[in-house]
């Protein structure tokens, strides 16, 4: 079928931090559009993948960027030898055939792009394709999920009120230390004790949030550090490579953070 | 990093030390330099509930780090004990046990701290029975479970300390064990010079922060004035201050009036609009420039988060955002939609539009902004824990710091009036100047007086802005009231004049936007036009709102 390649075959690992799975299932049962908020690398995308697998739905993911136009989402006419042919965009694909459509970093997209999803995110559940003069009614399985990081939020890049108010929201944060250590140990394949140390490094960097760092180390960064450790890199060097250096260019902060990493091992 | 004599200065490493301390413990107490006579290596840090004092110069960065980590452990795990009635020997031994206790608790969380502290525990077993030697060896024995001393007292302390590590959690453990050990030491009649006692190893603090004294112990000699002690994180543009001499408090102004007149300088005359006759009265108002008094730049407890957010906001707005140009004659990539349209047109037999490329262009910011603050008497009204003017100043400082960091062209001034011959223009930062300590001093020196003859101020702002070579010019006026002056009984007169002035500026391509902190909304709408008034309903939120307004207007 059209969405065959979008099915998730194996269970993506996800360690729940609260009741988010039950809440999402409830929202999905009614096909309510859901918005996932949270800092980068805290597991939003993984959560959606896990839920798509759990609910047995195909998942169409679109990473939004500044250049993403409405046609990139809904589709466009392409040229063929005989003339033009319509090509559905990822959103239209999901709407037609019934998938979870996940728009990542939605605020990055241009304002005209976000408006496209409005009729899908209310009780109309339809997608007008003005170029084709077609109204695509959403498949009963279609669900819209968007994610954004309120940390970047600025006036220029905020969701419109009219967009926000169409969604139910789940808030994500970095998991509690014990849970995060479990995730790092699982994903990176390192000993739980080492994972706990790596998480301690993350806490150090998160202490500096707003005091020089825009954001502390994400769970994703910790997993990267953990993978380096699993490859035999010394923990301090791994944390320096995967956490300290990517986080900041400020030499004082880097120095302080490196010293704090030293305190963790 | 090493300076002369192998010493490094706190001022040079303060920023990274603070970041280190914050990273370890999540709190950021202000660091103050500690100055003393003699060998700096003999100085010991001290701390209390509010700040941490570290020697102004010290042998190494590692020593500073070790000291900060140790003090952080105290702040995390120690509870100050009442010192009343305790013998000096007892407090010394209890403090020593407490030092070891908090370090072990800290090392449970952050095992790497052992490597930081261990190099300073260098004392070796010796037959010496001097109290200072015994104490230093006990310090090592309690830090390092593998250390073997041989002295019965030290060994007893070590054995009891490591016997039941789960008791470390209990803050009273130090008092119990320390009391026991101090009793033993007292019985041996070892002489101890409690006053001259110096804690070893060097990274440990003088333990003053562990005890609650009825009368404070000798006040530590401080490098600068107490006002400085509550200084929050240095603001942008303040970077050089700490290296220079501390800002002297200004000599009390002899007589405000006398000081004022010397600084007054007529700079311009402007017409005033008389709405009754529908004509300008030429040269009716005189603007005098007066340098605001210098005050030490204000050190409000800045909200780090807010300051960071504002900086990010402004930076985001200032860094020219890319602009996509579609349907271009030449460019970096094909514009797919245009290509398809062109090909379709050709197949239909029409002439295709060959502008089929797209490219990305960085849009430069061609903008000058003048932030004009109302400094009339009414800005002295109290709001929260300060006045309206305090909030104006704080907001302006926050915004200006971020603008300076981001490199936008801006100027900062204030105005007030005392009749038509004396509309005061108080320049804080001109376009050509840097937003430095002097400008911050002038900002801090603004005070609220007299009235609000807005029209003349707007015209003068217009003259200043008109000289700027940028395409867009913006006057951002922050006011808490409506135009008024002592020589104008007709309230409508100055409103109409201000309205006229705004229109004159608009005619010269200068946008005027009013941030209204109060007053009659209708009057503001009349003067600036409905679209150009941004009412701030809660004045306390001005520091958050002003930068947002700026970004919205200029982004």
């Amino acid at each position: 079928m059209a969405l065959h390649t979008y099915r998730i075959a194996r269970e993506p690992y996800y360690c729940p931090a609260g009741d988010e799975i039950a809440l999402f299932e409830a929202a999905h049962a009614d096909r309510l559009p859901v918005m996932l908020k949270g800092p980068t690398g805290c597991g939003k995308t993984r959560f959606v993948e896990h839920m798509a697998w759990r609910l047995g739905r195909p998942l169409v993911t679109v990473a939004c960027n500044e250049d993403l136009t409405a046609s990139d989402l809904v589709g466009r006419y392409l040229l063929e030898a005989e003339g033009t042919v319509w090509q559905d965009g990822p959103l239209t694909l999901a709407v037609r055939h019934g998938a979870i459509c996940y728009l990542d970093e939605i605020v990055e997209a241009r304002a005209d792009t976000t408006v496209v999803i409005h009729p899908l995110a209310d009780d109309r559940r339809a997608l007008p394709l003005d170029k084709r003069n077609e109204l695509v009614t959403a498949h009963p399985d279609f669900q819209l999920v968007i994610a954004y990081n309120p940390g970047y939020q600025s006036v220029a890049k905020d969701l419109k009120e009219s967009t926000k108010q169409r969604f139910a929201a789940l808030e994500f944060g970095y998991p509690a230390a014990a849970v995060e250590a479990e995730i790092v140990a699982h994903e990176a394949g390192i000993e739980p004790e080492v994972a706990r140390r790596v998480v301690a490094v993350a806490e150090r960097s998160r202490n500096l949030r707003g005091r020089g760092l825009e954001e502390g180390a994400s769970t994703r960064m910790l997993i990267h550090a953990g993978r380096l450790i699993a490859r035999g890199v010394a923990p301090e060097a791994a944390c320096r490579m995967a956490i300290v250096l990517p986080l900041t260019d400020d030499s004082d902060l880097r120095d302080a953070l490196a010293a704090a990493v030293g305190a963790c091992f | 990093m090493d300076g002369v004599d192998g010493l490094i200065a706190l001022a040079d490493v303060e920023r990274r030390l603070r970041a280190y301390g914050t990273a370890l413990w999540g709190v950021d107490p202000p660091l103050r330099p500690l100055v003393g006579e003699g060998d700096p290596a003999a100085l010991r840090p001290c701390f209390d509930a509010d700040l941490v004092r570290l020697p102004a110069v010290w042998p190494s960065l590692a020593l500073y780090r070790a000291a900060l980590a140790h003090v952080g452990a105290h702040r995390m795990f120690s509870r100050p004990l009442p010192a009343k009635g305790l013998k000096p020997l007892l407090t010394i031994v209890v403090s020593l046990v407490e030092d070891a206790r908090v370090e072990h608790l800290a090392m449970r969380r952050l095992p790497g701290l052992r490597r930081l502290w261990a190099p300073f525990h260098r004392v070796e077993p010796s037959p010496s029975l001097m109290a200072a030697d015994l104490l230093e060896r006990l310090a090592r024995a309690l830090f390092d479970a593998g250390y073997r001393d041989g002295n019965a007292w030290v060994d007893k302390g070590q054995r009891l300390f490591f016997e039941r590590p789960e008791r470390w959690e209990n803050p009273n453990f130090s008092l119990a064990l320390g009391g026991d050990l101090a009793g033993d030491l007292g019985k041996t009649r070892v002489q101890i010079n409690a006053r001259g006692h110096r804690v070893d190893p060097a990274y440990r603090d003088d333990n003053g922060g562990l005890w609650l004294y009825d009368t404070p112990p000798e006040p530590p000699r401080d490098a600068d004035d107490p006002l400085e002690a509550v200084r929050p994180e240095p603001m942008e543009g303040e970077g050089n201050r700490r290296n220079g001499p501390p800002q002297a408090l200004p000599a009390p102004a002899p007589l405000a009036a006398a000081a004022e007149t010397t600084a007054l300088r007529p700079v311009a005359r402007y017409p005033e609009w008389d709405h009754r006759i529908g004509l300008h009265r030429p040269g009716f108002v005189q603007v005098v420039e007066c340098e605001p008094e210098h005050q030490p730049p204000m050190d409000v407890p800045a909200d780090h988060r807010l300051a960071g957010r504002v900086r990010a906001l402004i930076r985001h707005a200032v860094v020219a955002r890319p602009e996509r140009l579609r349907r271009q004659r030449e460019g970096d990539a094909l514009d797919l939609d245009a290509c398809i349209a062109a090909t379709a047109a050709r197949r239909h037999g029409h002439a295709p539009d060959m502008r089929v490329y797209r490219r990305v262009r960085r849009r430069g910011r061609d903008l000058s902004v003048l932030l004009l603050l109302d400094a009339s008497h009414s800005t002295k009204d109290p709001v929260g824990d300060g006045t309206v003017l305090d909030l104006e100043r704080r907001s302006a400082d926050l915004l200006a710091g971020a603008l300076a960091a981001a490199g936008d062209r801006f100027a900062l001034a204030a105005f007030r009036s005392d009749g038509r011959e004396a509309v005061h223009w108080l320049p804080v930062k001109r376009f050509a100047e840097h937003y430095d300590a002097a400008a911050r001093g002038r900002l801090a020196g603004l005070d609220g007086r007299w009235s609000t003859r807005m029209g003349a101020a707007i015209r003068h702002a217009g003259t200043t802005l008109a000289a700027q070579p940028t395409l867009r010019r913006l006057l951002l006026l922050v006011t808490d009231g409506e135009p008024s002056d002592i020589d104008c009984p007709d309230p409508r007169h100055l409103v109409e004049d201000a309205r006229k002035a705004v229109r004159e500026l608009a005619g010269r391509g200068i946008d005027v936007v009013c941030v209204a902190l109060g007053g009659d909304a209708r009057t503001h709408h009349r003067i600036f036009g409905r679209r150009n008034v941004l009412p701030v309903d809660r004045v306390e939120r001005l520091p958050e709102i002003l930068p947002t307004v700026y970004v919205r207007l200029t982004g």
Side-chain angles (χ1 to χ4, degrees), chain A residues 71 76-79 131, chain B residues 325-329 333-346 351-358:
Chain A
S71 342
R76 55 160 54 91
Y77 278 107
L78 297 180
L79 285 176
K131 283 183 191 156
Chain B
L325 302 172
R326 301 188 164 278
R327 297 184 183 270
Q328 297 293 304
R329 235 166 241 299
L334 285 173
D335 182 342
L336 204 51
D337 291 333
C339 287
I340 292 166
T343 315
R346 185 149 57 197
D353 182 349
M354 290 315 287
R355 291 174 298 176
V356 294
Y357 295 97
R358 61 191 170 118

Side-chain angles (χ1 to χ4, degrees), chain A residues 66-69 71-72 76-84 110 131 152-157 197 200 203-205 207-212 214 236 250-253 255-257 259-265, chain B residues 12 15-28 61 65 107-113 115 233 304-305 308-309 312-313 315-316 321-322 324 326 336-337 339-340 343-344 347 358 360 548 551-552:
Chain A
E66 279 207 326
D67 234 8
L68 187 89
T69 62
S71 342
D72 292 331
R76 55 160 54 91
Y77 278 107
L78 297 180
L79 285 176
E80 271 193 350
E82 294 307 307
T84 52
R110 298 200 300 177
K131 283 183 191 156
Y152 299 147
Q153 195 171 326
S154 72
V155 181
K157 281 202 180 158
R197 296 284 135 225
E203 280 163 23
R204 308 280 82 71
S205 73
N207 282 341
L208 286 170
R209 183 167 176 238
R211 291 168 165 126
E214 301 252 323
E236 269 188 70
D250 180 323
S251 62
D252 285 350
L253 276 182
D255 179 86
L257 208 50
V261 168
C264 295
F265 292 100
Chain B
D12 291 335
R15 188 163 173 267
R16 61 171 78 177
L17 279 179
R18 286 181 68 149
Y20 177 68
T22 311
L24 286 189
W25 303 114
V27 288
D28 183 18
L61 181 59
R65 281 206 183 114
M107 286 188 290
R108 276 188 190 164
R109 289 200 190 182
L110 302 168
L113 289 177
R115 289 202 308 282
E233 184 142 0
H304 299 298
R305 281 189 158 199
R309 214 162 63 219
L313 194 68
R315 198 169 55 231
H316 183 85
R321 258 194 282 135
R324 264 177 312 275
R326 301 188 164 278
L336 204 51
D337 291 333
C339 287
I340 292 166
T343 315
R347 292 204 182 149
R358 61 191 170 118
V360 175
T548 329
V551 169
R552 203 159 70 204

